[in-house]
Amino acid sequence: MRTPRTAWMLGLVALVAACGEPTAAPPAAGAPPVAAGKEPTKETVYGAPLATAETLSVADVVKRGGELNGKQVRVEGTISDVCAKRGCWIKIADETGPAEMTFKVEDGVMVFPMDAKGKWVVADGEVRRTELTLEQTRRRLEAEAKETGKPFDPASVTEGGVSVRLNGIGATVRDRK
């Protein structure tokens, strides 16, 4: 006669043997086929599902910040930085040049992990363009430098600036484009 513990262990062994090697789930209906030897792109969705149809470049949004102020847009690019304290913002770099913008959410609404840096992001948000005084510009740049551990010399800032950012609504982060 077998003890309950022995029966339980035999059941577990049978279950593990029946499972065999893990297999990939079949592709979703309508999904494009994956080329042999290529892993499907992994993605994580943050916030609301993407809803904006037209995608603008980061450079275009930065350049047209005044015209787009208050409008919802979608941008794509590489995540060049992530808020190390709370994951409440990411910097999105334009793939065609040096333009970069911040995608910001309220603390805790979306939390981007540090390993998102270097990944591809598609993000929806509301454009916010803000004129900054000299003092506001210095404070903002000093805070960014402190957060990222970079040196900052307030005397290097001689005039006010303009901030163009996306107030985040939703984002999809992928391991590659």
Side-chain angles (χ1 to χ4, degrees):
M1 180 174 195
R2 292 191 176 130
T3 64
R5 182 178 174 171
T6 305
W8 180 83
M9 290 187 73
L10 287 173
L12 181 60
V13 169
L15 178 64
V16 169
C19 290
E21 288 295 313
T23 58
V34 176
K38 271 194 138 181
E39 288 285 320
T41 302
K42 296 175 185 138
E43 62 181 43
T44 305
V45 177
Y46 297 89
L50 299 176
T52 307
E54 180 186 8
T55 301
L56 300 174
S57 71
V58 170
D60 198 29
V61 174
V62 170
K63 185 171 121 185
R64 297 173 46 202
E67 170 192 341
L68 296 171
N69 193 35
K71 294 184 177 158
Q72 187 173 332
V73 300
R74 173 181 292 171
V75 298
E76 294 185 15
T78 302
I79 298 174
S80 59
D81 204 1
V82 179
C83 172
K85 288 185 178 179
R86 298 192 177 172
C88 62
W89 56 259
I90 56 175
K91 296 266 185 179
I92 304 172
D94 194 289
E95 70 177 326
T96 61
E100 185 177 67
M101 71 183 320
T102 302
F103 176 90
K104 173 74 173 103
V105 297
E106 290 182 38
D107 292 352
V109 172
M110 294 176 224
V111 179
F112 294 96
M114 290 303 293
D115 69 357
K117 195 172 185 178
K119 294 184 179 181
W120 187 258
V121 66
V122 180
D124 279 357
E126 184 179 312
V127 177
R128 282 288 162 218
R129 181 184 186 278
T130 307
E131 298 267 345
L132 303 171
T133 66
L134 174 61
E135 189 55 37
Q136 288 171 324
T137 303
R138 283 182 176 157
R139 280 197 313 262
R140 181 170 286 187
L141 293 173
E142 182 176 29
E144 284 181 15
K146 189 175 185 180
E147 230 175 77
T148 59
K150 296 177 183 173
F152 176 71
D153 177 13
S156 67
V157 181
T158 58
E159 58 185 43
V162 174
S163 167
V164 178
R165 74 177 197 191
L166 284 185
N167 286 345
I169 296 171
T172 299
V173 176
R174 300 180 183 137
D175 56 350
R176 62 182 181 270
K177 187 175 177 181

